[in-house]
Amino acid sequence: MTTETLTRPPVAPDTGGRPRPSKWIWTWLYAGAFAVAALLLVVVGYLGAGIAGGHVDWMELLTESAWSPTNSVFGGLAMIYGTAVVCALALVIAVPVSWGAAVALSEYLPPRLARPLRMCVELLAAVPSIVYGLIGIMVLRPVISKIADVPGGDSLAAAGIVLAVMITPTIVAVSVDALTAVPDRVREAAYSLGLTRREVVRSAVLPPARSGMRAAVLLGLARALGEAIAVFLVVGRADGRLPTSFGEFLDSLSHPGQTLTTKLAGPEPVLAGTSGPYFAAICGLGLVLLALVAAATVWGTRGRDRGAASERPLKFRGTARLRQQRDRLVMTLRLGALLLPSLLLVGMLALLVTRGSSAFDPSFWFTSATGAAGGGVRDQIVGTVLLIATTGILALPLGFGAGILIGIHASERTARVLQTVTVILGGAPTILLGLAGFVILSTTMGWGRSWLAGAIVLVPVVVPVIALTTSARVRSIPAELTESAMSLGLTRAQYVRSVVVPYTWPATITGLLLGLARAAGETAPLLFTATVFFGAPMVPSGIVESPVQALPTHIFTLSQDSGDPQAVTQAWGSAMVLVLITAVLLSAAVALRNRFEGERWTT
Amino acid sequence: MFNKKFRSAYLVTSVLTVLSLAGCADSDAGSNGALQVSGSTTVAPVAADAAQALKADGLDITVATQGGSAGGISQLAAGQINIAMSSKPLAKEDKAANPDTDFLSTQIGADAVGVIVTKKVADAGVKNLTADQVRDLFEGKIKNWSELGGPDLEVFVYDKEPGRGTREVLDKYIYGDEKAPPPPKSGNFAIVGGNLETRNKLESTPGAVAPLSTSFIEGRDKLAAVTLDGIEASPENIASGKYPMSRPLYLLTDGKPKGSAKKFIDYVLTDKGQKLMTKHGYLTLKEIGK
């Protein structure tokens, strides 16, 4: 037997395809990161400028319950109380159900069943809030009115329940991620000790997953705090009521109230002008809201990064009795908790399909509206598509650049600061973005209602999603790839261009689609900046004073005027169309993700 | 993968978009865009119908109702719209807040705001209210309809949100020139926006009361308007000014209307346009003797 040495004939150096210096890479990356910071600064800055433009009595704003601009009394306590009650209620309902469902999904169900269910939950998390609002106004109000025996049914409780339904998918999705991140050997070790399933979950799986599940709750809370439109439709919008005793507190739940976001979504920002004490008070409310949301988001994402931090000393719990029975009871409870969101999904779909059946008639898609609520919604569809397409084109380079910079930046600290800024921007209540757009683009720059203003205010919704998915993907680049690129003598810029960008772009596109799915359902930012209800041409012919019509705002207007059966039909039909559009975007994102990598990059 | 073709396609798309945006901005920087009408939901149906009729003549008109009458006026002053719809006369405060705007109001008709209650309450005996009773109702001092000779049913007040013309008419009726107090701290109090929303909430709430244009309850058998101080909201009483909560309806412009704005206002003032007032239950200029 002879051994042969493998030799490779020498090859002349390739003269054609050397990467060029690619200096523009840095310009692009920093432009992206700068844009993210600038967008956040603009939102905070306009609130700050508004406050500086008129004296704000912070003590009054935070402790006075009456709000009456005609008498120059600006007290925000009733709204803060409303926000607190609504969010607390949402959490009380959503958290046990979501945690139970998440545990059932990851620990009890066979993977064959769990996978599609997980996907459903993620889809549910992206249903536009206006659709939840519509369901709330049509289904929930009458129920509350009957149960609590109050007229109308507009109440803090209704708002809390709508929010609970909205945030459940978010909490489940993020909690499941935390649970599946627990390595299987932990479970195996626990089972081999002879523990029941309940004991395994409790003593082996939950402790390492706990911080992630807590983060899920905070992210859900941030969403609940920032939601304006769904709450607006069912909360009743009456300020100035504060309970003084526990009985009154219970009573106040079934009666109308006001939250920070609904105050801002009402007509008052339009009435307040752009300076003076009234405007300053409105900006003050906005700042309070932004601070609350930012605190929840930052805290939430911090907790998740830290992983399983606190090791608690083990306690001896004594010998448990009735282990089998307890195990079975807990299993029933958890599967029951899973059943609830599933029923919800089925119920919502059934409701949408039956009530919105007009959406399956092609002519509904391709004819324009006649009168207030007749005909189809072609113009609204075109308007929505135009808005999200423009938003996508504007947001893609910015988010891509910012994401790569966060992912590869050498300094740990800068990356963390950038990441935090991005997360806060992503969690910023969209109503604030809309108001910033109204004040800056529509009023100060004189654009009036303009589709471009609408697209621009949607950019901050999409950019963080792109940036975060991209940066997560950049971090997962195998070290060998980086090392071989460096050993070939590539500069950092060339490395970004030839290694990072090709490796990351599927994630970026997924992020873009996810972000656009969210943007497509946004109502609040468009109300003041971009849309009218009637008479806008299908395709705008300019920028200044060129409004469009869009599906979410169309549904919003129709659902407020819900007395007319024709308007109701059209609202449900439009909701169905909107859900279909977001579903297409999401399915594309999910398909892309599954094709390139089996892992979740979202939230 | 992220190849050259993809990249150049992306570059070309974005460049094209930017160029077309720039092109649009150039060609349409003038006032060739659609005529923008916004404001009161009371006037909106008339304006929408007129806009529909004028579409055939090639006029592009958009109608929006964000913020009600006061919203329309402030948007007109800010130069964001061409015509403001208003269901209240221009107040001194509006002029003082916008000294640079040369408001010109054109009256197009009149309307009556009613205090609307549910049929059940009206049938049980609440047919007439005095100004004091209306004030006590809206301040939350009267909590049950039995205090007014009605059924044993809780009162539920729907007030219009700030800036709505309807609300200012009501405030003027019960408070005169004084400032309205802050909203009552009662559990049975909620705020509504547009007229259709108000009607919908009234119909779905037993024991509800709200200010609403009487034209919006015509043909609704669940709702009724009460007489105020014994005066019914009949056309004669509105024309003579006897009915206390009648109000003129206006289209407002900044300076004399020109071009398409003038065409629009002129159309509303023609016989055809005035018929729209009747169609939506308002009084024409002729009926009120103007």
Side-chain angles (χ1 to χ4, degrees):
Chain A
M1 207 188 262
T2 51
T3 48
E4 253 181 83
T5 319
L6 287 172
T7 48
R8 189 160 162 252
V11 183
D14 186 6
T15 46
R18 285 287 294 171
R20 279 154 293 159
S22 308
K23 288 247 172 60
W24 54 274
I25 288 279
W26 294 117
T27 326
W28 168 47
L29 296 191
Y30 280 104
F34 179 72
V36 171
L39 285 171
L40 190 64
L41 265 182
V42 164
V43 174
V44 177
Y46 109 91
L47 289 175
I51 290 166
H55 178 70
V56 181
D57 188 347
W58 286 99
M59 275 311 283
E60 185 185 75
L61 196 67
L62 296 177
T63 55
E64 166 66 46
S65 68
W67 175 278
S68 173
T70 43
N71 302 312
S72 302
V73 181
F74 301 104
L77 192 60
M79 286 143 241
I80 295 170
Y81 167 74
T83 301
V85 167
V86 164
C87 290
L89 199 62
L91 287 183
V92 165
I93 300 171
V95 169
V97 172
S98 318
W99 276 357
V103 170
L105 210 53
S106 94
E107 305 300 318
Y108 286 78
L109 290 190
R112 198 155 34 88
L113 213 59
R115 247 185 105 80
L117 267 179
R118 240 179 107 174
M119 210 164 98
C120 285
V121 169
E122 284 177 40
L123 289 179
L124 211 54
V127 171
S129 56
I130 181 75
V131 175
Y132 286 110
L134 186 64
I135 291 171
I137 205 171
M138 301 291 178
V139 182
L140 200 58
R141 275 185 65 226
V143 174
I144 295 268
S145 152
K146 204 165 275 171
I147 292 177
D149 195 25
V150 286
D154 288 315
S155 55
L156 290 174
I161 294 172
V162 166
L163 281 182
V165 172
M166 274 183 60
I167 64 174
T168 300
T170 312
I171 302 182
V172 174
V174 182
S175 300
V176 167
D177 282 354
L179 286 167
T180 41
V182 177
D184 270 342
R185 60 190 151 79
V186 175
R187 292 187 188 89
E188 281 155 18
Y191 278 122
S192 66
L193 290 175
L195 300 183
T196 62
R197 180 130 50 170
R198 180 186 75 91
E199 289 159 344
V200 170
V201 169
R202 179 171 156 188
S203 46
V205 181
L206 283 186
R210 194 162 283 145
S211 71
M213 292 172 77
R214 217 174 286 142
V217 171
L218 286 167
L219 286 176
L221 176 64
R223 192 171 175 201
L225 279 171
E227 178 53 43
I229 293 304
V231 177
F232 184 89
L233 289 173
V234 295
V235 82
R237 292 186 284 141
D239 28 59
R241 298 190 56 242
L242 282 177
T244 48
S245 67
F246 186 68
E248 274 183 40
F249 164 73
L250 284 183
D251 196 47
S252 80
L253 288 182
S254 60
H255 286 99
Q258 179 90 283
T259 70
L260 288 166
T261 47
T262 56
K263 191 75 184 175
L264 296 174
E268 298 201 23
V270 181
L271 302 180
T274 50
S275 62
Y278 192 2
F279 183 66
I282 294 260
C283 288
L285 288 182
L287 209 61
V288 171
L289 179 64
L290 188 65
L292 287 174
V293 175
T297 345
V298 171
W299 198 14
T301 35
R302 273 280 161 76
R304 193 152 52 128
D305 288 344
R306 212 172 44 220
S310 52
E311 286 280 336
R312 254 178 268 166
L314 288 171
K315 263 187 299 185
F316 180 65
R317 291 199 179 106
T319 327
R321 282 152 56 195
L322 298 171
R323 290 174 64 212
Q324 297 301 324
Q325 286 83 344
R326 278 202 214 178
D327 184 48
R328 237 169 277 151
L329 176 72
V330 170
M331 179 169 106
T332 327
L333 282 180
R334 283 181 178 150
L335 289 177
L338 179 61
L339 208 60
L340 213 63
S342 320
L343 280 181
L344 210 69
L345 177 66
V346 173
M348 267 173 53
L349 276 181
L351 202 64
L352 270 174
V353 169
T354 48
R355 302 291 293 272
S357 55
S358 56
F360 299 115
D361 181 0
S363 66
F364 189 72
W365 290 66
F366 297 117
T367 54
S368 62
T370 48
V377 289
R378 184 194 62 188
D379 296 359
Q380 283 80 6
I381 294 174
V382 172
T384 298
V385 170
L386 176 75
L387 283 174
I388 58 174
T390 318
T391 306
I393 290 172
L394 291 174
L396 182 56
L398 299 179
F400 204 178
I404 291 181
L405 195 66
I406 295 175
I408 65 156
H409 207 284
S411 149
E412 184 87 358
R413 196 165 184 196
T414 328
R416 212 169 45 224
V417 169
L418 266 174
Q419 170 121 7
T420 312
V421 168
T422 315
V423 166
I424 294 179
L425 185 67
T430 51
I431 182 74
L432 291 180
L433 301 176
L435 291 180
F438 173 69
V439 171
I440 296 167
L441 298 173
S442 303
T443 311
T444 312
M445 288 175 62
W447 285 9
R449 284 178 188 231
S450 158
W451 61 275
L452 189 61
I456 291 175
V457 296
L458 286 177
V459 166
V461 177
V462 183
V463 165
V465 186
I466 303 179
L468 292 176
T469 48
T470 307
S471 70
R473 176 78 172 163
V474 172
R475 282 203 203 99
S476 76
I477 293 180
E480 308 90 75
L481 260 181
T482 316
E483 280 156 17
S484 30
M486 288 305 157
S487 63
L488 286 174
L490 265 64
T491 63
R492 293 290 284 183
Q494 286 169 325
Y495 159 69
V496 169
R497 198 189 92 128
S498 319
V499 177
V500 177
V501 168
Y503 188 84
T504 340
W505 75 265
T508 309
I509 301 292
T510 313
L512 175 70
L513 291 170
L514 289 172
L516 288 183
R518 216 190 125 194
E522 280 299 341
T523 317
L526 300 181
L527 273 180
F528 297 113
T529 52
T531 57
V532 290
F533 178 62
F534 175 84
M538 183 171 77
V539 178
S541 56
I543 293 177
V544 176
E545 304 291 353
S546 305
V548 286
Q549 298 166 76
L551 285 168
T553 45
H554 191 62
I555 302 170
F556 180 68
T557 316
L558 288 172
S559 58
Q560 279 192 52
D561 301 341
S562 48
D564 184 4
Q566 209 185 1
V568 176
T569 321
Q570 179 131 4
W572 284 106
S574 312
M576 189 70 216
V577 171
L578 187 60
V579 167
L580 286 177
I581 291 178
T582 34
V584 166
L585 285 170
L586 278 175
S587 321
V590 170
L592 206 69
R593 188 178 79 202
N594 288 350
R595 177 141 172 225
F596 287 98
E597 202 182 8
E599 157 199 344
R600 237 178 89 88
W601 304 326
T602 43
T603 41
Chain B
M1 291 311 281
F2 195 84
N3 56 17
K4 276 207 172 111
K5 227 187 240 163
F6 177 86
R7 204 170 21 183
S8 47
Y10 182 74
L11 274 180
V12 168
T13 336
S14 34
V15 166
L16 276 182
T17 322
V18 170
L19 280 183
S20 56
L21 289 186
C24 291
D26 277 349
S27 61
D28 276 286
S31 56
N32 295 336
L35 180 73
Q36 310 237 347
V37 183
S38 183
S40 160
T41 49
T42 309
V43 188
V46 177
D49 278 358
Q52 188 84 33
L54 286 173
K55 213 172 193 174
D57 300 350
L59 271 187
D60 265 340
I61 300 164
T62 66
V63 178
T65 57
Q66 190 74 41
S69 298
I73 292 170
S74 72
Q75 280 176 292
L76 179 70
Q80 290 164 9
I81 55 171
N82 308 93
I83 298 179
M85 306 178 281
S86 175
S87 52
K88 58 160 194 148
L90 203 61
K92 268 186 233 134
E93 293 85 31
D94 295 325
K95 278 187 192 149
N98 307 294
D100 299 336
T101 316
D102 174 24
F103 287 112
L104 189 93
S105 332
T106 312
Q107 190 174 359
I108 56 168
D111 171 40
V113 175
V115 173
I116 310 297
V117 297
T118 51
K119 197 83 180 169
K120 200 175 162 195
V121 172
D123 285 348
V126 182
K127 296 228 157 62
N128 178 52
L129 293 172
T130 64
D132 286 343
Q133 286 171 328
V134 174
R135 192 186 63 221
D136 288 351
L137 271 174
F138 280 89
E139 284 183 359
K141 285 183 192 144
I142 297 178
K143 292 191 163 48
N144 198 302
W145 286 109
S146 56
E147 294 172 44
L148 296 171
D152 180 21
L153 196 64
E154 270 186 76
V155 174
F156 198 99
V157 175
Y158 284 109
D159 200 358
K160 289 276 214 162
E161 60 194 10
R164 297 283 178 184
T166 312
R167 170 165 160 153
E168 299 202 1
V169 173
L170 179 75
D171 282 351
K172 186 135 201 189
Y173 171 55
I174 51 184
Y175 300 114
D177 290 331
E178 283 169 46
K179 276 183 184 173
K185 301 191 176 194
S186 123
N188 289 348
F189 176 87
I191 290 180
V192 284
N195 286 335
L196 286 164
E197 188 194 356
T198 314
R199 180 174 74 192
N200 174 43
K201 298 252 164 110
L202 273 170
E203 281 180 340
S204 62
T205 314
V209 58
L212 178 64
S213 168
T214 50
S215 60
F216 276 79
I217 64 155
E218 261 161 43
R220 295 274 157 175
D221 27 307
K222 278 190 191 162
L223 302 176
V226 297
T227 56
L228 296 174
D229 301 320
I231 299 165
E232 193 196 350
S234 65
E236 305 81 57
N237 285 341
I238 299 169
S240 67
K242 237 173 150 188
Y243 183 72
M245 289 219 292
S246 66
R247 55 172 169 183
L249 302 177
Y250 294 106
L251 292 177
L252 273 72
T253 48
D254 184 3
K256 276 216 157 138
K258 275 179 282 193
S260 47
K262 183 165 167 40
K263 261 189 216 161
F264 179 75
I265 294 181
D266 284 348
Y267 178 82
V268 179
L269 295 177
T270 59
D271 286 349
K272 250 195 215 160
Q274 288 287 301
K275 267 198 195 120
L276 296 176
M277 303 299 294
T278 318
K279 176 184 163 196
H280 292 289
Y282 305 132
L283 291 174
T284 60
L285 289 173
K286 210 180 265 170
E287 280 172 297
I288 54 169
K290 281 203 180 168

